[in-house]
Amino acid sequence: MPMVKYVHASRFLLLVLGCAESYQFLAPSIVPPPLRQLSVPMRPAHLPYFVQMSRRGVATLRCCEGGHHDEASEPLSADLKFTVPTEYVGPVGERAQMEAGCVVDNLGLQILIGPSRVSTGRGLFVSVAQEEGVDKVVLHEGTLISGYSKTGSWVNSWQGDKSVAFAFDSPDTAVVYDKELMPLIEAVSVAEGVSENITGGLVGHVIYFDDENDELAVAPDAQWQGARYFVPDEDPQEWGPANFGICANDLAYSPGISESAYALASADKNVLQLVWRMEVNETEEALTPSWPVVFLQRSIAFTNTEPMEVGISYGYRYWKSKESQK
C-alpha cells in the first residue's frame, strides 16, 4: 500500500505554485472534517475563462456559453456558465500497487502514482477520499491537480514523451502567474518588472499587433537562440504533489489511429492539461517559464473509490513521429 500523506490546501498550493524549497505534511489528526460531497469552484473563481486543450504544453483560455467550446466565439460579457460535469471513468488501477500519494483536503481527492494501465512505467491516478467521508467530488475547468516537475534540463529539440514545449502562438494561452491562472497577455501586462514595451515582454517570443485580425498576437521569435524544450527529471529523489503530474500518460492513443479518431478519443479520455508557471526575468525585463503544472481542462465528477488513471494529450503529431521512427 502507498504511504498516503495529507496536505492542506495552503500547503498544496505553496508546493505546486509557490517557491518553497521544502514543506511539512500535516498529520492526519489535524485534517479538518471534510464534506460528504465537494464541489470545487474554478481557481481563481472570478476568471471568466475555460481551459481549451491544444497541443502538449499549451492550454488556451476560451470563453464559452452553454458548455460548448468554440474557438471562434467572442468573449462573453454575460454571467459565465460552467460546462456540465461528466462522471469520470478511466482505467482502474490496483490500490495495493500504488507507490505514493496524497490526500488534498480542499479537493477531497487522493492523488496517486502507480503502474500505468495503458503504458509501461508509472501512471497518474485519482480517487475520492472515501476514508475521509467523501463520496463525490465535482471539479471544474482550471482546477489545479498537481505539479509536473520543477527539476530537469532545457534542450533545443524534443526528447522523449515527457518533454514540454515553450512556444506560444496565442495571447489567450493559459499561464500561471503570481499563483493565478490567467491569459498570457494579461500576465505580461500586470507583471511587475516587465518592460513597458510589451513587444519584448515574453522571453523567446514577439508580441505584435495583428492588423488583419485587429488584435494582439504572439509568436515564437525565430532569432532567439535559447532552448525551447523542457525535459523533466523522470526519476526524482522524492515523489510528491510537485511532480506527480509527470506520470500522466496519453489515454487516447492506439496504434494506427487516425487523426480525427485520436482527436475524439483525446477529448473524451484525456482530462488534464499542462500549463506553464511564469516568472519575471529581471535581466531581460520579460516573463520566462519556471516549471509546468497540471490543471483539469474540463468539468469532471469523481465518484470512484478505486484509483482511476487520468491522462493528458501528447498530440497526434507526436504519435505519428514516434510511429515513423519504428
Side-chain angles (χ1 to χ4, degrees):
M1 293 290 289
M3 182 172 61
V4 178
K5 302 178 180 181
Y6 291 75
V7 188
H8 267 301
S10 58
R11 289 292 184 185
F12 178 73
L13 292 174
L14 180 65
L15 175 63
V16 178
L17 297 183
C19 300
E21 294 296 329
S22 62
Y23 66 100
Q24 294 294 322
F25 281 111
L26 297 174
S29 60
I30 59 175
V31 173
L35 301 174
R36 289 290 297 172
Q37 294 193 20
L38 300 180
S39 181
V40 181
M42 185 176 176
R43 301 251 191 266
H46 67 275
L47 283 179
Y49 300 96
F50 287 110
V51 179
Q52 173 75 40
M53 177 163 37
S54 55
R55 67 176 180 274
R56 184 175 177 84
V58 177
T60 302
L61 289 171
R62 295 291 184 188
C63 294
C64 61
E65 186 173 18
H68 175 65
H69 292 290
D70 186 353
E71 284 284 324
S73 63
E74 294 295 327
L76 299 178
S77 58
D79 292 337
L80 189 67
K81 298 179 181 178
F82 283 117
T83 54
V84 176
T86 56
E87 184 170 341
Y88 184 72
V89 178
V92 178
E94 295 185 21
R95 186 172 297 276
Q97 294 183 350
M98 297 295 111
E99 299 177 34
C102 70
V103 173
V104 185
D105 64 345
N106 71 318
L107 296 184
L109 283 184
Q110 278 195 356
I111 303 175
L112 305 156
I113 61 170
S116 172
R117 300 307 304 273
V118 300
S119 179
T120 58
R122 299 180 179 92
L124 180 64
F125 295 79
V126 299
S127 70
V128 297
Q130 187 181 35
E131 65 278 12
E132 296 300 304
V134 179
D135 56 16
K136 182 177 182 179
V137 179
V138 177
L139 303 177
H140 290 291
E141 296 98 322
T143 299
L144 178 66
I145 296 298
S146 76
Y148 190 74
S149 178
K150 292 183 179 181
T151 60
S153 58
W154 285 90
V155 298
N156 291 314
S157 59
W158 193 277
Q159 294 183 11
D161 62 356
K162 301 298 182 181
S163 300
V164 185
F166 172 56
F168 297 119
D169 58 8
S170 168
D172 296 323
T173 298
V175 298
V176 174
Y177 176 71
D178 195 24
K179 301 182 181 67
E180 290 192 10
L181 186 68
M182 63 181 68
L184 172 64
I185 196 63
E186 181 179 335
V188 173
S189 300
V190 304
E192 295 185 8
V194 170
S195 172
E196 294 183 1
N197 181 3
I198 198 172
T199 60
L202 179 63
V203 168
H205 295 74
V206 175
I207 299 173
Y208 62 97
F209 188 79
D210 185 346
D211 293 323
E212 182 177 348
N213 295 313
D214 196 31
E215 62 183 11
L216 286 173
V218 62
D221 183 356
Q223 304 302 315
W224 188 61
Q225 299 299 311
R228 288 205 180 273
Y229 297 94
F230 175 70
V231 181
D233 179 3
E234 296 189 42
D235 190 23
Q237 293 183 348
E238 182 179 5
W239 288 103
N243 54 26
F244 282 157
I246 196 177
C247 297
N249 296 302
D250 192 333
L251 305 186
Y253 172 75
S254 59
I257 192 171
S258 68
E259 184 171 4
S260 59
Y262 173 81
L264 291 173
S266 185
D268 177 52
K269 297 180 179 181
N270 291 320
V271 300
L272 304 177
Q273 178 64 58
L274 283 174
V275 177
W276 276 111
R277 179 190 180 277
M278 308 295 289
E279 60 187 14
V280 176
N281 182 317
E282 296 181 356
T283 302
E284 299 196 32
E285 297 184 335
L287 283 185
T288 190
S290 52
W291 62 79
V293 291
V294 178
F295 284 81
L296 275 183
Q297 57 93 2
R298 60 185 171 91
S299 294
I300 294 293
F302 293 100
T303 60
N304 54 296
T305 58
E306 292 301 314
M308 285 187 178
E309 189 166 0
V310 287
I312 193 166
S313 174
Y314 287 11
Y316 188 72
R317 286 183 297 176
Y318 166 80
W319 291 115
K320 289 297 292 182
S321 175
K322 190 170 183 178
E323 287 181 356
S324 66
Q325 295 172 7
K326 292 181 179 180

